[in-house]
């Protein structure tokens, strides 16, 4: 899914953004971005859904209502592979 690749690479290159900031930056619908991040991260709350464990969302220290996105070690490894393919 190209949107998920774009999200992963953007979070890798600029960690700390909120979902709303990321959606605006990538010109994606906010709800659609939330769903993709849930799939890339831990899955959707209260549901047994697939999750890749590539993105972590932690509380934003400046605003507890927001979540700050970052890549996990698995996400970092995949992002670096994708970037090396793109440069190759």
């Amino acid at each position: 899914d190209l949107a998920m690749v774009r999200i992963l690479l953007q979070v890798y290159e600029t960690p700390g953004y909120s979902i709303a900031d990321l959606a605006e930056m990538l010109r994606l619908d906010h709800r659609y971005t939330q769903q993709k991040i849930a799939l890339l991260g831990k899955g959707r709350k209260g549901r047994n859904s697939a999750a890749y464990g590539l993105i972590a969302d932690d509380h934003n220290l400046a605003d507890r209502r927001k979540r700050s996105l970052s890549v996990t070690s698995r996400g970092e490894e995949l992002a670096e592979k994708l970037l090396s393919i793109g440069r190759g």
Side-chain angles (χ1 to χ4, degrees):
D1 182 305
L2 184 57
M4 289 174 38
V5 171
R6 290 178 62 211
I7 290 168
L8 176 66
L9 293 177
Q10 189 65 53
V11 172
Y12 172 74
E13 292 176 346
T14 53
Y17 280 108
S18 69
I19 294 171
D21 294 336
L22 186 64
E24 184 177 328
M25 183 183 309
L26 296 175
R27 298 178 189 259
L28 297 172
D29 176 71
H30 184 269
R31 182 76 181 130
Y32 177 79
T33 305
Q34 279 182 314
Q35 292 171 345
K36 295 300 179 182
I37 288 172
L39 186 59
L40 287 166
K42 297 182 277 187
R44 296 174 70 187
K45 289 183 180 177
R47 299 188 183 180
N48 292 331
S49 61
Y52 297 111
L54 302 173
I55 290 180
D57 62 334
D58 299 313
H59 285 289
N60 183 313
L61 297 176
D63 185 347
R64 304 245 338 133
R65 297 170 297 171
K66 292 185 177 183
R67 311 289 286 176
S68 293
L69 302 172
S70 61
V71 293
T72 63
S73 57
R74 286 182 62 199
E76 184 175 347
E77 186 178 318
L78 179 57
E80 288 173 358
K81 285 180 184 178
L82 290 168
L83 288 171
S84 70
I85 291 169
R87 293 180 187 128

